[in-house]
Amino acid sequence: MSIRLVTRSLVSGAVILGSLTSAAAAASAGAKVVNLTMWQQWGGGHEEAALDKVIKEYEALNPGVRITETPVTNSAKILTAISGGTPPDIVDLGTSLEVGEWASRGALLPMAPYISSSHLNTGVYVPAALDALTVSGQLYGLPFMDFDVGLLYNKTLFKQAGLNPNDPPTTTQQLQSDAFKLTKQEANGRITQLGFLPDYPGQSNGQVCTLEDMGWDFGGQWYNDKTHSITADAPQNIAALNYEASFYKKYGASNMANFESSAGAYLTANDPFESGKLAMVYDGPWALQYIEANRPSLASEIGVAPFPAPAGMSSLRGTTFIDTNPQVIPRGASDPSAAFAFIKWETTSPEVTATFAQLVANLPQLKKVPSFPLANDSRFRVFINEASSANAHVWPPLPYSTEYGVRLCQAQQSALLGTTTAAKAMGSLQTTMESSASS
Amino acid sequence: MPVQQPISHASEAGRPRWRWRPWRGPLPFLLPWLIGFIALTIIPLFLSLYWSFTNYDMLQPPQWVGASNYVQLVHDPLFRTSVINTSFMVVIGVPAGIVLGLGCALLLRRPIRGSALYRGAIFVPAVVPSVAVAVIWIWIFNPDYGLLNAALGVVHIKPQGWLASPSLAKPSLLMLLVWEAVGQIMVLMLAGLKEIPGELYEAASLDGAKPLQHFRYITFPLLGPVLFYSLIVWMIFYLQFFTEAFVATAQDLGEPVNSTLFYSIYIYQNAFQFLKMGYASAMAWILFAVTMIITVTLFRLQRRFIFYRGEQRA
């Protein structure tokens, strides 16, 4: 083929393409359709279906707005899209872990101008989750579907171990002695049943890695808002890590690690809790829903209680992290006002909130919602009550939140597996993060 | 397409002997690739060199910080950990793969019954995508249900937590990688062995050489170029090792306790998890420099050790 022919076909191709796009542009100009793209981290399945229903409802109320949602669970991809200047209009994040990082670097639009122009009263939201979206005093997203954790325990295993299934532990000491009674270990060290696995499920359920919860539970904190300093090596945090490590010491670190790594994936019928190999777990209300689907016979045997606190610190009972699915608008979004109008409607509609909460077994982000079946469930109420207590904490939204979280998990793991002591692990975490914070 | 004949008609017309007319030559055909190569490889390459001297988080403009990223690396304990982890893979993995690949090639050199099948079986891992390999091996390594522990159980060896144990995770990944590499190395070696003329062995046998001497004085020296090629290629591969470790520790990169925090994994973590693009770029350039230095050194050394057939030696 000659070059001229190639050129000719390329040119004609470009002409066709050009006329097509101009036709499309003309069509949209005529109908004045606002097209919004939304990247969401619910993924697929029934959660995506629920979101699609919400979107349809909004589109019906607002003809002229079209929202296309796409599951994008990889945060690095969202970040690259924002830095490349081609972000979606709305991002529905699965956790607030990255909000501090992104917001402090100008990747997210502050909500204040839109809140004031649309007269949104943020007092309607459960306050704890708003903290996760507040970076240096500014709000960078609206909360949707909060979540927190408590103690889930398997009553069948309690009965088998001679424990009262209606008397879950209330102190961490009790939790430990119960856990020891609930553990079965073979002569070669293999653990066939475990009372409590302190670092499970960790990141899988939205926690940083459980140690942050345990630290709060022991009265510690990870960041001091007043002095703006990292407090990883607070004595309470070290005590919490020592507490976690005591389980590993008792049964052998490698046996515990093997137990954890041979378990099936979280929230499947083969995960350690659902398969009846783990008696107690620090997990959220959605786990109940998955158990009902995966192992119906087990569902009624699961008890829920506020997580125990150390003896003498009973006011800390029910300590939990709290987080939300932040609805954020990235820098460079094509139509931020239209995007805000949607997330405002989505997050403040009591009906949408109640339906969604029921469907995904998450907590309503609104203080007042119409009654839904789960809201009357005594087990679910444990989580709702915790959300508005002083014991609900958020992982500090800082410019280096992710690094802090990743390094916290590394520190936790090294102490649990016995490659270092709790005090040393927290000490080096403190040093590393101080240098990261200053650079 | 007309072939350029610059000399004849250029001189006839009294014009310059040669004219640069790229649109008539191969350039139009090369252009699509060339554009991609420049935009997606050359420009990012030099940008990353620039970024390595800046604080850059992808969201804000880079800030020049001079050599501070490089200085910081020296004091970063995890940088050291990642260097040690990667060196472990290179120093043990490369020789292990070559020795095993050569061994398989020597065993399957002559056509025995089913040799094609054996060769095929050993080569198969090379055609399986790395991610699939990693996922399969995660199951093989599973402490409770894995094949490896089941096999060891038959001979009464205590089950091991392959990927769960800080001391075993690295050797386990190495095992996986060598398994992937052996087939490819074997095929190369087989080709190399075919090139060795039979007369040499014949002559050696007439002189009374034993099989071991055949290997020592004929096979090994004549395979030199192939061995050298494998050494370079696999060294570079292990220095950049990423995929399988990334898949196996997706939850918590480098777990357990940073024992699988390889150099490339740590680059990724700094770049995409911690948003330290400048720091990650500095790491990448150090890796490039180290790879370059090792390769150049090996090429210098090969003049002394590697013998190419047909080459005259003084």
Side-chain angles (χ1 to χ4, degrees), chain A residues 83, chain B residues 43-70 271-272 276-285:
Chain A
S83 67
Chain B
I43 294 176
L45 193 74
F46 286 101
L47 274 179
S48 91
L49 181 61
Y50 165 64
W51 287 335
S52 76
F53 295 101
T54 65
N55 264 346
Y56 180 47
D57 56 25
M58 294 200 289
L59 296 166
Q60 290 162 317
Q63 285 172 310
W64 184 264
V65 292
S68 110
N69 284 328
Y70 292 91
F272 294 101
K276 293 177 177 172
M277 230 10 121
Y279 197 66
S281 297
M283 281 189 73
W285 277 90

Side-chain angles (χ1 to χ4, degrees), chain B:
Chain B
M1 203 172 72
V3 178
Q4 283 191 29
Q5 290 173 316
I7 299 165
S8 55
H9 71 260
S11 49
E12 272 167 37
R15 285 179 299 195
R17 276 163 57 85
W18 186 81
R19 249 185 354 151
W20 169 241
R21 285 188 293 188
W23 57 93
R24 291 280 294 278
L27 195 65
F29 293 93
L30 278 175
L31 210 56
W33 175 83
L34 217 54
I35 292 170
F37 179 65
I38 291 169
L40 301 174
T41 304
I42 298 291
I43 294 176
L45 193 74
F46 286 101
L47 274 179
S48 91
L49 181 61
Y50 165 64
W51 287 335
S52 76
F53 295 101
T54 65
N55 264 346
Y56 180 47
D57 56 25
M58 294 200 289
L59 296 166
Q60 290 162 317
Q63 285 172 310
W64 184 264
V65 292
S68 110
N69 284 328
Y70 292 91
V71 175
Q72 222 181 315
L73 274 173
V74 181
H75 302 289
D76 181 350
L78 285 182
F79 171 75
R80 252 166 288 157
T81 307
S82 72
V83 167
I84 293 168
N85 286 340
T86 305
S87 310
F88 174 91
M89 300 304 266
V90 175
V91 170
I92 301 185
V94 177
I98 291 180
V99 167
L100 287 171
L102 178 60
C104 291
L106 288 172
L107 285 175
L108 298 172
R109 180 183 193 178
R110 274 172 247 291
I112 49 166
R113 188 190 296 255
S115 66
L117 189 74
Y118 296 133
R119 287 177 190 177
I122 294 169
F123 188 68
V124 155
V127 292
V128 183
S130 317
V131 173
V133 167
V135 171
I136 293 166
W137 277 82
I138 290 172
W139 277 106
I140 295 178
F141 286 135
N142 185 302
D144 272 3
Y145 313 107
L147 276 176
L148 200 51
N149 275 347
L152 290 179
V154 174
V155 288
H156 299 287
I157 294 178
K158 197 178 164 244
Q160 306 290 323
W162 300 102
L163 293 174
S165 138
S167 55
L168 280 179
K170 225 176 357 256
S172 302
L173 283 176
L174 188 69
M175 196 168 6
L176 179 168
L177 279 186
V178 169
W179 176 79
E180 270 188 290
V182 162
Q184 298 177 54
I185 296 175
M186 177 195 71
V187 168
L188 259 174
M189 296 294 165
L190 280 171
L193 288 173
K194 274 222 163 113
E195 287 293 299
I196 302 176
E199 307 96 79
L200 293 178
Y201 292 106
E202 229 169 274
S205 300
L206 288 175
D207 287 342
K210 302 269 175 335
L212 209 62
Q213 288 166 315
H214 281 179
F215 178 77
R216 169 72 184 82
Y217 294 106
I218 301 172
T219 314
F220 191 70
L222 288 181
L223 268 183
V226 180
L227 287 167
F228 180 68
Y229 168 82
S230 305
L231 179 69
I232 298 279
V233 168
W234 287 96
M235 179 206 69
I236 294 174
F237 173 83
Y238 279 97
L239 279 173
Q240 301 179 343
F241 172 52
F242 180 80
T243 314
E244 289 83 351
F246 184 74
V247 175
T249 65
Q251 263 288 324
D252 196 350
L253 291 180
E255 71 178 347
V257 200
N258 299 322
S259 61
T260 63
L261 189 77
F262 298 106
Y263 200 87
S264 300
I265 298 269
Y266 196 44
I267 292 182
Y268 172 89
Q269 189 166 52
N270 273 304
F272 294 101
Q273 284 192 316
F274 304 162
L275 307 185
K276 293 177 177 172
M277 230 10 121
Y279 197 66
S281 297
M283 281 189 73
W285 277 90
I286 289 178
L287 178 62
F288 173 72
V290 167
T291 312
M292 203 65 189
I293 290 168
I294 299 179
T295 312
V296 168
T297 314
L298 285 174
F299 264 96
R300 287 264 160 86
L301 286 176
Q302 70 143 347
R303 283 185 213 148
R304 241 184 280 169
F305 298 110
I306 310 288
F307 172 69
Y308 289 92
R309 279 206 304 135
E311 178 187 54
Q312 292 293 320
R313 288 254 168 136

